[in-house]
């Protein structure tokens, strides 16, 4: 007899088989990484002051490197890394504050690069939207972290919601972008606003809604009361799964292994931490690492382009990212799910104590 329990068992067996294949592929990536996405941190200045900012950006933070140093990296990659050029993700801080942004984009496009961007969108006028498209921007992710009052409060800028939504409207009116995405960082205090945000985004022509939980990084470490509870996490994942079934292009972020019950249910594919195997970054001071949300310390910074070309670092460093994090922790190493999780996401790893700060094993499984 075909029962719900039997169907669930069959689905989980299929997921386990696919996860086994992904685990084998991950081992290959450790040996043969492929640079698909390069983050360029163009500035640490920002016109907002978000309570959860992983990079602790502010209006008086440092600007990025000179234009020519970024172009030096792009030429180095084009000349010394075979295969398809990586997509560049322009980020900050707020990248729209960079005065030579469009010159950088234009000169990079001449080399064959295309761009994505993370932005708060408050500075995207119709004219700026046009320049972004003309200079090779394909994908943009705009942060909307709640309804107007909540968004403005958590981002430290009165009127931020109104300006961000206007920026999205300007991008849509310009057209020609591959993906206009909204990203929402969910915390304990704005969880209840998800249904209303859903109704708002449902009536907008956005291509994707990316929902992520607040992570214990950057300034968010100063607000532990805002972290998601186990109940919050289960609600969030159930919400995403239900809305996907309704046809909403919503997905959970790439972070964290979620167990057989939620993997493939809340995002398009299974968990794989891309840090150092698909993804790298050049920081505002020239430091080179993996994802920009990862703690910046002696273990994670792989060098600096003022001393060593980026491609040499990509080829010869990144050892910490090209082996399972689980090897560094007894609890992770002996976990029944280690083969699929590999210790979890690098950005939530405590490198001083070699432990994972976010593990959903006891919450979801």
């Amino acid at each position: 007899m075909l029962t719900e329990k039997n169907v669930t068992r069959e689905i989980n067996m299929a997921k386990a088989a696919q996860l086994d294949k992904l685990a084998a592929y991950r081992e290959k990536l450790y040996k043969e990484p492929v640079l698909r996405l390069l983050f360029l941190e163009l500035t640490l200045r920002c016109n907002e002051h978000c309570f959860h900012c992983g990079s602790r950006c502010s209006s008086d933070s440092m600007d990025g490197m000179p234009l020519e140093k970024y172009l030096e990296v792009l030429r180095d990659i084009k000349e010394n890394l075979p295969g398809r050029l990586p997509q560049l993700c322009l980020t900050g801080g707020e990248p729209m504050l960079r005065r030579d942004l469009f010159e950088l984009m234009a000169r990079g496009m001449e080399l064959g690069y295309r761009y994505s961007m993370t932005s708060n969108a408050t500075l995207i006028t119709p004219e700026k939207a046009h320049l972004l498209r003309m200079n090779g921007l394909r994908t943009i992710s705009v942060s909307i972290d709640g309804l107007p009052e909540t968004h403005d409060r958590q981002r430290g800028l009165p009127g931020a919601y109104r300006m961000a939504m206007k920026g999205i409207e300007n991008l849509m009116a310009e057209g020609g972008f591959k993906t206009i995405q909204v990203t929402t960082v969910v915390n304990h205090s704005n969880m209840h606003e998800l249904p209303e945000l859903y109704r708002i985004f449902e009536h907008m022509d956005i291509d994707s809604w990316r929902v992520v939980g607040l992570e214990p990084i950057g300034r968010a470490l100063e607000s532990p009361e805002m972290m998601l509870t186990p109940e919050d996490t289960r609600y969030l994942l159930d919400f995403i799964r239900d809305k996907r079934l309704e046809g909403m292009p919503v997905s959970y972020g790439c972070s964290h292994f979620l167990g057989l019950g939620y993997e493939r249910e809340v995002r398009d594919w299974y968990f794989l931490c891309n840090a150092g195997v698909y993804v790298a970054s050049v920081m505002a001071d020239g430091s080179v690492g993996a994802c920009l949300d990862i703690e910046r310390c002696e273990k994670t910074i792989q060098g600096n382009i003022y001393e060593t070309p980026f491609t040499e670092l990509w080829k010869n460093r990144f050892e910490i990212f090209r082996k399972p994090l689980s090897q560094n922790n007894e609890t992770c190493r002996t976990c029944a799910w280690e083969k699929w999780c590999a210790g979890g996401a690098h950005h939530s790893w405590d490198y001083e104590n070699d432990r994972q700060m976010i593990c959903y094993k006891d919450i979801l499984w």
Side-chain angles (χ1 to χ4, degrees):
M1 178 183 295
L2 190 63
T3 66
E4 182 176 349
K5 185 176 181 180
N6 289 338
V7 171
T8 299
R9 184 186 301 114
E10 291 294 324
I11 291 173
N12 285 347
M13 288 176 61
K15 288 182 178 180
Q18 291 176 325
L19 283 163
D20 285 344
K21 291 181 180 179
L22 182 59
Y25 178 69
R26 185 182 63 235
E27 291 300 317
K28 179 182 178 182
L29 272 180
Y30 288 153
K31 298 179 178 65
E32 302 173 12
V34 180
L35 184 63
R36 291 185 175 179
L37 181 64
L38 179 66
F39 285 89
L40 297 182
E41 189 176 62
L42 301 182
T43 181
L44 288 176
R45 292 188 298 125
C46 189
N47 58 333
E48 296 184 337
H49 192 85
C50 305
F51 90 94
H52 59 276
C53 181
S55 302
R56 299 178 183 270
C57 299
S58 64
S59 59
D60 57 356
S61 294
M62 66 174 287
D63 224 336
M65 299 182 299
L67 171 65
E68 282 302 323
K69 292 302 291 184
Y70 290 103
L71 293 174
E72 180 183 302
V73 173
L74 302 190
R75 288 190 290 265
D76 174 31
I77 292 172
K78 185 176 177 67
E79 294 169 7
N80 297 305
L81 273 189
R84 184 176 180 179
L85 290 175
Q87 180 166 288
L88 306 178
C89 182
L90 308 177
T91 187
E94 174 47 54
M96 295 299 297
L97 287 171
R98 178 93 186 193
R99 292 184 178 180
D100 55 7
L101 171 65
F102 298 113
E103 181 181 358
L104 170 61
M105 294 180 71
R107 294 179 65 180
M109 191 166 63
E110 291 174 358
L111 292 170
Y113 290 94
R114 292 296 182 270
Y115 303 95
S116 59
M117 176 183 284
T118 59
S119 173
N120 61 38
T122 59
L123 304 175
I124 298 180
T125 62
E127 295 75 20
K128 295 290 177 61
H130 178 68
L131 286 171
L132 288 170
R133 182 178 66 81
M134 294 299 294
N135 285 289
L137 187 70
R138 300 179 65 194
T139 299
I140 184 167
S141 180
V142 176
S143 300
I144 299 292
D145 290 338
L147 299 175
E149 182 180 348
T150 298
H151 180 86
D152 291 2
R153 181 178 66 253
Q154 294 186 0
R155 294 200 149 253
L157 178 66
Y161 179 92
R162 173 182 53 79
M163 290 186 285
M165 293 296 275
K166 183 60 177 176
I168 294 173
E169 291 177 9
N170 293 333
L171 291 165
M172 290 179 172
E174 174 65 26
F177 300 101
K178 179 182 177 182
T179 303
I180 298 175
Q181 179 185 77
V182 169
T183 293
T184 299
V185 178
V186 178
N187 58 66
H188 184 62
S189 73
N190 68 1
M191 287 289 300
H192 65 284
E193 296 184 357
L194 281 173
E196 182 59 28
L197 287 173
Y198 169 75
R199 285 188 282 272
I200 292 171
F201 298 145
E202 186 181 24
H203 291 93
M204 296 172 65
D205 192 25
I206 61 171
D207 302 297
S208 172
W209 183 23
R210 181 172 175 265
V211 183
V212 298
L214 182 67
E215 304 280 354
I217 58 176
R219 278 200 289 262
L221 290 168
E222 300 165 14
S223 303
E225 75 284 356
M226 301 287 271
M227 294 297 169
L228 298 181
T229 66
E231 294 75 20
D232 290 340
T233 299
R234 289 190 289 268
Y235 173 84
L236 172 61
L237 296 177
D238 286 341
F239 174 87
I240 294 173
R241 179 167 58 188
D242 292 346
K243 297 310 177 188
R244 285 171 67 88
L245 290 173
E246 295 176 14
M248 176 70 173
V250 57
S251 66
Y252 183 68
C254 60
S255 305
H256 313 304
F257 181 67
L258 304 175
L260 295 179
Y262 287 103
E263 287 291 331
R264 279 300 305 272
E265 306 294 325
V266 296
R267 53 191 171 209
D268 294 340
W269 194 238
Y270 297 102
F271 168 73
L272 172 67
C273 187
N274 294 332
V277 292
Y278 282 147
V279 174
S281 62
V282 177
M283 302 172 198
D285 65 353
S287 296
V288 172
C291 296
L292 286 169
D293 282 337
I294 295 172
E295 176 189 352
R296 302 180 190 191
C297 63
E298 184 177 351
K299 290 182 179 180
T300 61
I301 299 296
Q302 303 304 294
N304 193 292
I305 65 163
Y306 282 100
E307 301 169 356
T308 309
F310 172 85
T311 54
E312 288 189 25
L313 296 173
W314 175 256
K315 293 174 182 177
N316 302 318
R317 294 293 308 275
F318 286 83
E319 301 95 333
I320 193 172
F321 302 109
R322 294 171 185 169
K323 62 180 182 180
L325 280 168
S326 51
Q327 292 183 5
N328 304 324
N329 181 278
E330 179 68 17
T331 300
C332 289
R333 188 165 58 248
T334 58
C335 176
W337 307 100
E338 186 275 339
K339 181 179 182 181
W340 300 333
C341 177
H346 275 273
H347 76 266
S348 57
W349 189 261
D350 178 348
Y351 289 92
E352 181 177 352
N353 298 297
D354 272 330
R355 65 181 184 88
Q356 181 57 251
M357 292 186 286
I358 296 182
C359 176
Y360 288 141
K361 186 173 185 297
D362 295 330
I363 296 174
L364 303 178
W365 305 334

